[in-house]
Amino acid sequence: MEINVDIGGTFTDCFATDGGRVAAAKALTTHHDLSDGFMTALGDLATELGTSEDDLLGRTQAIRYATTLGTNALIERSGPRLGLLTTTGFEDVVPIGRCRAYGEGLSHHEARNLARAQRPEPLIPRDHIVGLRERVDHAGNVVMPLDPDEVREAVGELVDRGVRGFVVSLLWSFKNPEHELLVREVIEEEYPSCFLGRFPVILAHEVSSRAGEYVRSMTSILDAYLHRFTADRMSELRNELRDRGYGGSLMLVHNSGGMGGLARTTPLQTIHAGPVAGLYGSRHLAERFDLGKVVTTDMGGTSFDIGVVVEGSVRFYEFNPVIDRWLVQMPMMDIKAVGAGGGSIAAFDEFRGVTVGPRSAGSMPGPACYAQGGTEPTVTDANLVLGYLDPDGYHGGSMQLDVRRAERAIERRVARPMGVDVTEAARSIRAVVDNQMGDAIFKEIVLKGYDPRGFTIFSFGGGGPLHACGYAEVLQIPRVVVPPHAPVFSASGAAGLDLLHIYERSEHVVLLNPLFKTVLEDAAPINDVVDEFMAQARDDFADEGHAPEDVEFALELDVRSGGQLYLTTISSPVLRIESQADLADVLQAYFTEYADRFGEFAVTKEVGASVETIRLRASVRRRRWELAELPAPTHDVDAARKGQRDCWWPRAGFEPTPVYDHDLLGPGHRVEGPAVLEGRDTTVVVAPGWSAAMDRHGFLMLTKEETA
C-alpha cells in the first residue's frame, strides 16, 4: 500500500495504490494545521477501503507528500529573524536587488501599474546584514584571508540585534568554500549544539553553486527562512504518523519532478510541488498514448495551473524561477499558475467590468454556497446558479450547497452593480473565467513557439472538467482528455515519481573558440565536475538505502552562443566528453536545440559556444502503478443516466439537460452534449456540439464536432 498526498489551497487530495487496486479521497485543507486536513482525508480513504485509519497506516509502505508549508510561511511571513554575513562591499546587494525586482512575482496587471508597484519587503532588514573583510576570486584563489575574530565580533553584534539564524553568502564561495566553512565553525564554537541558544547556519555554496551573488544569496535566504518552520511541521507529522502505526518512509515531492526523503529535501524544493506532480503524471500519460503535444490544466479551488509537455523536452524547466517575490537559483518544472479556481472571487468594476480572481475564498470560509460564512461570489457559486452543480450531490453528497446564498452573493456584488439579473451575472462570471484560462494557456503555448491548435488538453483537478469545453473553445482546440481520478490527479501523479537529486555548478568552458577557430581539446573541466557529482549522488542515494548500480544519470548543459546573455539548456548526448566525436555530438545537440527554438536562420556557429552551467540529474527508478483495464460494461449508456435538470447553455438559456453518473460509464460509452457527468468529486460539463467517450482505461475523451 502506498499513499500519495497533494495539499492544495482549498482541498487536500489523497490517492492510494495497493497492487492493482486504487482509492481516492478529498478533504478541505486546514491552513492552521495542514496535518488536520491530511488526517481527515486519510480517514475518508480508510472508509473508502473498508478499514480503519490505524490499520491503513500499518499496511502502508510509503507516503509521498506534496506540501504547501513553505508557501504558507512566505504568505504569512512567519519565518525566523535572520542575519546575513557577506563580503565587505556587497552588503547592499540584497536590499537593492535587481532593477526588475519591483515587478517580480506580481501579476501582469500589477506589474504594469508602475505608480503602485513596490519592491518586496526584505526578509532580512539592512541592519541585520554585516560585511566580512575577505575575498576569493573567480578561480577560487584566496586573495584576502578571513579573520576568525572578525567573524566572532560580527556574529555577536547580530545576536545582540535579535538574530536567531544565519545565512552566509560570500563572493565566489562555490569555487572555494573555505571561508564560509570557517564562519560556520566559528558560530558553532560560540553557540554549541548542546545549548538552547544554538542557531541554524545556512551556507550559500551548499544551497546553490551557480554564479550570481544576488540570486544565490536570495536562494539561501529563502531556504533559511523556511527551514525551521518546514522541518518542525514535517517532523510533527512524521511523529504523528509513527504514533498511529506507520513504519514506512515519508517522501516529499520535489518541484523538479522527483522526490526525496525528509533528510534530502530543502524547503525550496517543496514549493509548487503539487502541480508539478500532475504535470509529471501527464508527461508519462502523453508518452503512453503517443501524444506529442499536451497542455495540462489543473483547476482547483484556488488556482489554475498550466504546464506544457512536448515529448518531455527539457526546455520546459525554469532554472531561475520566481518564488513569492524573489528570483532564485534552482531547477523547477515550468508551471504557470493563475488565480482562476473554483473559489476565485468575482466582482464588478466600472472600468474593467466583471473580474475574477486572483483573490480566493479558499477552504474557509469558502464560496458563499458552502454556508460557512463566505459572502463574496465565486466561480463555484456561478456554476451552481447556472445548474452545472448538484446542490445535494456535491463532494459525494457529504456537503450541501446553498443555492440561495450563492444567488444573494452574486446579486449583491455583481448583478446589481451591472444592472442585470443573477443569471446574466453568473453567465458573465463563467465566461470571464473561461476566457482568462484560455488566454493564459494561449500565452504559455505561443510564447514557447507552438500553435495551440496542435495540442491536446489534459483537464483535471476538481474544477477542470467543469470548464474544459469552455476554455478549449477559446483556444479552438477540439480535443480534451479527462483522466480517471481527475479530482486527485496531481496526487496520483506523485505515485509515478522517481527518486531524484539534481547537482549543478557554474563552470565557464569554451567549446568552440570563435577567435582562433579551435574546439575544446581537454574536457577535464567538465568531466571532473561530472565525476564529482556522480560520486556525491551515489553517496546520497546510498544513505537512502539504494545500491550504486540503481542510480541513473543524465547530463544537462547550459550553453551560450558568443556574448549572448541568453542561455540554452540541452540534454547532453554523452555523460563524459571522451573524444572529439563526443564534443561534436554535444555541439550538434546545442545547435539543433537552438535552431528548434529560434529558427535555423538564428544559428551562428561563427560566434562560438561555451558551457556556463553543468547539471547532473541522478535518479532511481521506481515501479510505477499501471492503470487497469475496465471491464466491458453490461449495460448501455442510458443505464448511467440519473435524470435531468435545468442548465444554462449559450444561445438556448436554461433547458432540461441529461445528467449521467460518471462512475457508471464504461469503455465504449458515448454521451452527446449538452450533458452533465457527475462523479463523487468532480463534474464534467459536455457543452453543445461536444461529445464524451470513455476508453478502456477510464479516460474520457471530449471531442468537438467539426462544423461545416
Side-chain angles (χ1 to χ4, degrees):
M1 173 75 71
E2 295 182 341
I3 297 176
N4 309 277
V5 187
D6 172 31
I7 296 182
T10 304
F11 285 100
T12 294
D13 302 337
C14 280
F15 182 80
T17 59
D18 186 9
R21 188 182 180 191
V22 299
K26 294 175 77 78
L28 290 173
T29 296
T30 49
H31 292 283
H32 65 281
D33 186 349
L34 296 180
S35 64
D36 283 355
F38 170 44
M39 288 301 175
T40 300
L42 197 65
D44 293 344
L45 197 64
T47 302
E48 179 82 10
L49 293 169
T51 185
S52 66
E53 293 179 43
D54 292 347
D55 179 66
L56 176 64
L57 287 172
R59 294 192 294 112
T60 300
Q61 287 83 44
I63 292 178
R64 286 178 283 276
Y65 193 75
T67 180
T68 58
L69 279 172
T71 305
N72 292 353
L74 284 175
I75 291 172
E76 298 166 4
R77 294 295 189 265
S78 56
R81 185 175 295 181
L82 299 172
L84 173 63
L85 296 164
T86 188
T87 303
T88 294
F90 291 83
E91 297 92 338
D92 293 309
V93 166
V94 169
I96 293 174
R98 307 193 319 152
C99 63
R100 294 176 58 187
Y102 78 92
E104 287 175 338
L106 297 179
S107 68
H108 181 65
H109 176 75
E110 291 171 324
R112 291 182 62 187
N113 190 351
L114 297 179
R116 293 189 176 182
Q118 299 290 330
R119 293 177 185 273
E121 190 71 23
L123 298 179
I124 299 181
R126 178 61 182 84
D127 63 343
H128 287 176
I129 301 176
V130 174
L132 299 174
R133 287 175 296 177
E134 65 84 39
R135 196 60 183 265
V136 173
D137 67 15
H138 73 282
N141 302 310
V142 176
V143 178
M144 179 185 293
L146 177 62
D147 183 357
D149 291 333
E150 182 184 354
V151 177
R152 290 188 181 89
E153 182 179 346
V155 169
E157 180 182 336
L158 289 174
V159 170
D160 291 342
R161 294 176 186 173
V163 164
R164 292 299 177 265
F166 295 96
V167 178
V168 186
S169 182
L170 304 178
L171 212 62
W172 295 107
S173 60
F174 65 93
K175 286 291 188 180
N176 182 353
E178 176 184 333
H179 287 174
E180 284 193 354
L181 294 170
L182 175 59
V183 173
R184 179 164 63 188
E185 181 181 332
V186 170
I187 294 174
E188 291 179 346
E189 285 178 359
E190 294 295 309
Y191 305 96
S193 59
C194 60
F195 293 162
L196 293 175
R198 178 182 182 254
F199 302 123
V201 183
I202 301 297
L203 305 184
H205 80 272
E206 293 179 343
V207 176
S208 173
S209 293
R210 287 164 56 190
E213 60 268 21
Y214 166 72
V215 188
R216 183 159 44 88
S217 296
M218 278 312 313
T219 306
S220 306
I221 290 169
L222 280 169
D223 192 79
Y225 192 77
L226 301 175
H227 191 275
R228 175 168 288 182
F229 179 83
T230 305
D232 288 348
R233 292 296 183 89
M234 292 308 303
S235 295
E236 290 171 5
L237 174 62
R238 181 176 58 184
N239 292 338
E240 183 173 356
L241 292 171
R242 291 282 186 267
D243 293 341
R244 302 286 292 273
Y246 176 62
S249 57
L250 180 61
M251 310 298 294
L252 296 183
V253 177
H254 293 176
N255 49 30
S256 57
M259 62 180 180
L262 195 58
R264 295 294 175 185
T265 299
T266 66
L268 287 181
Q269 289 176 313
T270 68
I271 302 291
H272 305 315
V276 165
L279 176 59
Y280 204 83
S282 298
R283 186 172 78 171
H284 287 302
L285 292 178
E287 293 173 354
R288 176 170 183 163
F289 291 98
D290 197 27
L291 296 173
K293 297 178 180 178
V294 167
V295 57
T296 66
T297 58
D298 180 357
M299 184 180 184
T302 304
S303 65
F304 180 69
D305 301 314
I306 306 163
V308 176
V309 177
V310 179
E311 298 172 357
S313 173
V314 72
R315 75 187 69 182
F316 303 128
Y317 278 82
E318 286 188 273
F319 297 104
N320 292 285
V322 174
I323 291 180
D324 197 283
R325 296 291 309 279
W326 294 279
L327 192 73
V328 299
Q329 291 176 331
M330 59 179 295
M332 178 190 297
M333 292 187 81
D334 189 5
I335 296 285
K336 172 70 173 178
V338 295
S344 294
I345 294 171
F348 178 77
D349 183 283
E350 59 179 323
F351 298 108
R352 299 167 58 200
V354 176
T355 62
V356 178
R359 290 194 308 126
S360 172
S363 58
M364 185 60 69
C369 62
Y370 280 14
Q372 296 179 154
T375 59
E376 297 187 275
T378 66
V379 174
T380 297
D381 294 312
N383 283 323
L384 179 63
V385 168
L386 294 174
Y388 301 126
L389 296 176
D390 180 2
D392 299 319
Y394 193 71
H395 197 27
S398 62
M399 180 183 291
Q400 300 293 308
L401 301 183
D402 192 323
V403 180
R404 186 69 192 117
R405 287 178 184 267
E407 291 174 338
R408 282 201 300 266
I410 294 173
E411 196 278 332
R412 184 171 57 252
R413 300 297 178 92
V414 181
R416 190 184 304 166
M418 285 181 68
V420 299
D421 61 22
V422 171
T423 298
E424 176 61 20
R427 182 207 65 79
S428 298
I429 293 170
R430 183 175 170 90
V432 167
V433 76
D434 283 350
N435 277 279
Q436 283 182 188
M437 292 186 288
D439 183 57
I441 296 169
F442 179 83
K443 289 177 181 177
E444 275 299 286
I445 295 175
V446 170
L447 289 176
K448 288 178 169 64
Y450 298 100
D451 183 345
R453 291 169 295 186
F455 278 71
T456 297
I457 294 175
F458 274 16
S459 179
F460 48 89
L466 192 63
H467 290 263
C469 291
Y471 55 76
E473 288 189 351
V474 172
L475 295 159
Q476 300 180 38
I477 295 179
R479 300 168 303 280
V480 177
V481 177
V482 179
H485 316 294
V488 296
F489 185 75
S490 289
S492 71
L497 294 178
D498 295 327
L499 293 169
L500 174 67
H501 297 314
I502 297 178
Y503 308 86
E504 57 181 357
R505 181 183 301 165
S506 290
E507 291 286 347
H508 176 72
V509 183
V510 177
L511 300 180
L512 182 60
N513 191 313
L515 296 178
F516 300 102
K517 309 297 182 185
T518 58
V519 296
L520 178 69
E521 294 185 358
D522 182 8
I526 296 176
N527 292 338
D528 290 348
V529 173
V530 172
D531 291 342
E532 178 187 338
F533 285 166
M534 291 173 69
Q536 184 179 349
R538 291 190 177 102
D539 288 343
D540 288 345
F541 278 116
D543 291 341
E544 297 181 71
H546 300 283
E549 57 269 19
D550 294 336
V551 185
E552 299 180 5
F553 299 102
L555 179 64
E556 295 173 3
L557 303 171
D558 290 351
V559 187
R560 186 197 311 277
S561 279
Q564 292 181 359
L565 296 177
Y566 190 82
L567 296 175
T568 299
T569 302
I570 66 168
S571 293
S572 173
V574 294
L575 264 182
R576 302 179 85 259
I577 300 177
E578 304 281 8
S579 64
Q580 290 297 300
D582 290 342
L583 177 61
D585 290 341
V586 170
L587 285 169
Q588 184 58 47
Y590 169 62
F591 292 129
T592 300
E593 179 73 17
Y594 194 94
D596 188 41
R597 189 174 301 189
F598 303 109
E600 291 283 351
F601 66 90
V603 178
T604 50
K605 300 180 181 180
E606 298 80 8
V607 301
S610 60
V611 169
E612 302 297 336
T613 305
I614 300 169
R615 184 178 300 108
L616 186 73
R617 299 169 60 86
S619 61
V620 172
R621 289 187 179 272
R622 296 181 56 262
R623 184 169 56 88
R624 297 185 176 91
W625 67 282
E626 295 292 332
L627 282 169
E629 289 196 17
L630 299 178
T634 58
H635 54 272
D636 61 19
V637 70
D638 289 335
R641 182 164 173 169
K642 299 166 61 175
Q644 65 180 29
R645 65 170 176 266
D646 287 344
C647 297
W648 188 93
W649 303 106
R651 295 186 295 275
F654 279 103
E655 67 175 22
T657 303
V659 179
Y660 294 84
D661 188 333
H662 184 282
D663 297 334
L664 295 181
L665 295 176
H669 282 163
R670 181 183 179 89
V671 175
E672 300 291 338
V676 175
L677 316 181
E678 292 182 340
R680 171 178 168 78
D681 292 306
T682 193
T683 297
V684 183
V685 170
V686 186
W690 288 75
S691 63
M694 184 169 285
D695 78 353
R696 69 182 190 276
H697 293 288
F699 287 83
L700 202 61
M701 312 295 182
L702 303 181
T703 308
K704 184 173 176 58
E705 299 173 2
E706 294 185 7
T707 56

